[in-house]
Amino acid sequence: MAGAVAGRADSAGRRHDLRAGADAGARLAGPLADRYGGGAVADRRGPRGQISLPISEQTAKALSADLIDQTVFAVADPAGHVLGGSAELAAQAPATLAAGQWLFFDGSMQGRPMRVAAFGYRCAQDGRVCPVLVAETMGKRTAALRAAVLAAAVGALALALPLALLALLAVNRVLRPLQRASDAIGRLSVRQLRPIDAGSMPGEVAGFVQSLNALLARLRDAAGAQRAFVADAAHQLRTPWAIVRVEASELLASEHPAALQPALERLHLAAERGSRLAQQLLSLARTEGAALEARPMPQRVDLRRLAADSANQWLAPALQAGQDLGFDLEPAAVDGYPVLLDELIGNLIHNAIEHAGRGAKVTVRTRTLEERGAELSVEDDGPGVPADERESLWRRFHRGRGAAGSGSGLGLAIVADIARLHGATAAIETTAAGSGFTVRIRFSTPDRPAPPESAVAP
């Protein structure tokens, strides 16, 4: 583009050189022709026997008149003596200039660049040539080049803008399905392995998306097989552990040698722990299965009723542990799975009873939040957990350094998974002094009125 513009500008400049040079040369050569009768003049001299240029001052001024550029002329005899005009310009006359020949070149005068046109005029009978030179500053040429560049730039811009817009629209249309696929892949997680829609993908990437979907299907199958194995194993272990627990309880209740008392207590504690672990593994597999299936949540669950119903199950263990289990329940409705929410409440209460210590006070609370949500919390006034350990308690099979009881480290991990499945947040809090332990679950509820009491699932 730039070369074409420069070429057009240079051609325009050459045409201008020819027109200007021919016009000025004709006016300067005219007096020579008039003086010597035109054509070649053989040994015809002026008053002193020399070639002269009979040109008036008005003609010289007319030759130099220009509205834009400065124009300078010079005429010399064959020997190089200046007949008229600028001696500085005459000194730039080409050494070899044939009669009737035009030459154009760049020169300078007083440090200013000039464009020079030279014409060879036969002024002697022996064929010698008088150089006629006309020089002009570069104003017109610069203006012509600027105009050509501006016109080309405007034309290129007028063409480039629609093309750029069309290209942008085309690229955006082609990349839109890829962006949707990227967003869908970004939402994938271990618990959400849905296939990516390959129907709207360009043919170049459709094969890649299909291969990715095949990989996701294999991952889902592997995760399903693992969950099924854990659930089957836990289910198979529940009955043996239940039998061991019952037998250990009967042995403790029956007459037995005093030396066996510690061993029977350890056996009963191990049976209780194994039975609880099997139940937690079943709950974990059920929670992961619900997350992977991404089932809708059509049921409205009343957390107050769900927590109240758990009292019958946990009052006896709390009394046995020497603790005060209380309930402060206000209406709190959420959308979710009743079975999993019941498991969540059970794990929180069991965790408090297990670790708060004898004489502790455990309180279960439910309430409706002002910002359109519901909250469930279980707190105790036990020894608490250091701040640097709180986040690690959400990991599976992790227990605090000072943890008491016979837990397996799965309770809070199950709570976190169930809360995440319901779109809730789970947080651990303690008092400013570092004592006490509170787990607070906050649910977001849709903006709709609570259903009547009979419509809420227990």
Side-chain angles (χ1 to χ4, degrees):
M1 177 66 73
V5 171
R8 288 196 293 269
D10 187 64
S11 298
R14 290 181 180 276
R15 290 195 295 270
H16 173 72
D17 290 342
L18 288 171
R19 289 195 300 269
D23 181 66
R27 285 184 286 172
L28 288 170
L32 289 174
D34 293 340
R35 172 70 175 169
Y36 298 107
V41 179
D43 296 331
R44 297 190 61 177
R45 307 291 178 178
R48 298 181 180 179
Q50 296 179 346
I51 299 175
S52 62
L53 179 65
I55 186 172
S56 64
E57 183 178 354
Q58 290 79 8
T59 303
K61 290 182 178 181
L63 290 172
S64 301
D66 196 294
L67 295 177
I68 300 177
D69 288 305
Q70 178 186 355
T71 305
V72 182
F73 75 92
V75 180
D77 63 10
H81 301 117
V82 179
L83 300 179
S86 170
E88 184 181 0
L89 178 59
Q92 301 181 38
T96 58
L97 187 63
Q101 181 184 5
W102 284 100
L103 289 179
F104 301 93
F105 56 91
D106 293 327
S108 64
M109 292 185 62
Q110 300 177 355
R112 299 180 62 185
M114 308 283 283
R115 185 65 175 172
V116 183
F119 178 72
Y121 184 80
R122 183 182 298 174
C123 58
Q125 186 176 9
D126 58 2
R128 289 182 298 169
V129 173
C130 293
V132 180
L133 293 90
V134 179
E136 185 179 68
T137 54
M138 309 291 283
K140 293 187 182 71
R141 293 180 62 84
T142 303
L145 178 60
R146 187 181 298 113
V149 171
L150 181 60
V154 170
L157 186 62
L159 181 62
L161 285 178
L163 291 178
L165 181 59
L166 291 175
L168 183 62
L169 292 175
V171 170
N172 185 54
R173 183 173 182 179
V174 171
L175 294 182
R176 191 179 298 119
L178 296 179
Q179 184 60 48
R180 289 199 299 269
S182 175
D183 295 340
I185 293 173
R187 290 191 296 269
L188 293 177
S189 67
V190 177
R191 294 175 175 83
Q192 297 289 345
L193 297 176
R194 297 190 184 95
I196 309 301
D197 181 18
S200 60
M201 294 295 148
E204 293 78 5
V205 296
F208 168 77
V209 175
Q210 291 171 358
S211 299
L212 179 61
N213 286 338
L215 174 61
L216 294 177
R218 291 193 295 271
L219 289 176
R220 286 195 301 273
D221 293 341
Q226 183 180 8
R227 290 196 315 277
F229 170 76
V230 172
D232 291 342
H235 183 73
Q236 294 298 324
L237 288 173
R238 289 179 66 184
T239 301
W241 277 119
I243 295 174
V244 172
R245 185 180 60 183
V246 171
E247 294 292 339
S249 298
E250 291 182 355
L251 287 174
L252 283 172
S254 63
E255 293 184 6
H256 56 272
L260 294 179
Q261 181 69 20
L264 291 176
E265 289 179 352
R266 289 194 299 271
L267 176 62
H268 183 267
L269 183 62
E272 289 282 354
R273 183 178 181 182
S275 179
R276 178 67 184 169
L277 178 59
Q279 178 60 38
Q280 287 182 325
L281 288 174
L282 275 176
S283 300
L284 195 61
R286 186 162 53 238
T287 303
E288 290 183 346
L292 285 173
E293 293 169 9
R295 297 178 297 176
M297 303 184 209
Q299 288 184 286
R300 200 76 184 275
V301 182
D302 187 354
L303 291 178
R304 177 181 58 176
R305 178 184 292 183
L306 209 60
D309 291 344
S310 67
N312 296 329
Q313 177 184 358
W314 296 105
L315 280 176
L319 291 174
Q320 186 179 357
Q323 297 170 348
D324 179 13
L325 177 61
F327 294 83
D328 180 11
L329 305 178
E330 298 178 7
V334 298
D335 286 343
Y337 306 113
V339 174
L340 294 180
L341 291 173
D342 181 63
E343 184 69 26
L344 180 144
I345 295 174
N347 275 281
L348 290 178
I349 297 176
H350 176 267
N351 184 76
I353 293 175
E354 190 76 16
H355 301 290
R358 182 167 294 274
K361 182 179 180 180
V362 180
T363 305
V364 181
R365 289 188 173 90
T366 61
R367 66 189 181 102
T368 299
L369 301 176
E370 295 181 358
E371 57 271 20
R372 210 181 70 199
E375 181 181 276
L376 165 70
S377 65
V378 177
E379 63 181 56
D380 64 70
D381 57 358
V385 175
D388 59 342
E389 286 191 56
R390 294 174 194 167
E391 288 302 318
S392 61
L393 293 180
W394 300 114
R395 298 203 303 264
R396 297 175 182 178
F397 300 104
H398 182 87
R399 305 183 70 205
R401 291 190 296 267
S406 58
S408 58
L410 275 178
L412 290 181
I414 294 174
V415 168
D417 285 345
I418 296 176
R420 190 182 303 112
L421 175 63
H422 289 79
T425 60
I428 297 174
E429 302 174 1
T430 59
T431 63
S435 62
F437 189 86
T438 302
V439 179
R440 200 176 303 277
I441 313 295
R442 291 195 170 186
F443 299 85
S444 297
T445 57
D447 188 12
R448 60 178 179 176
E453 188 77 14
S454 60
V456 180

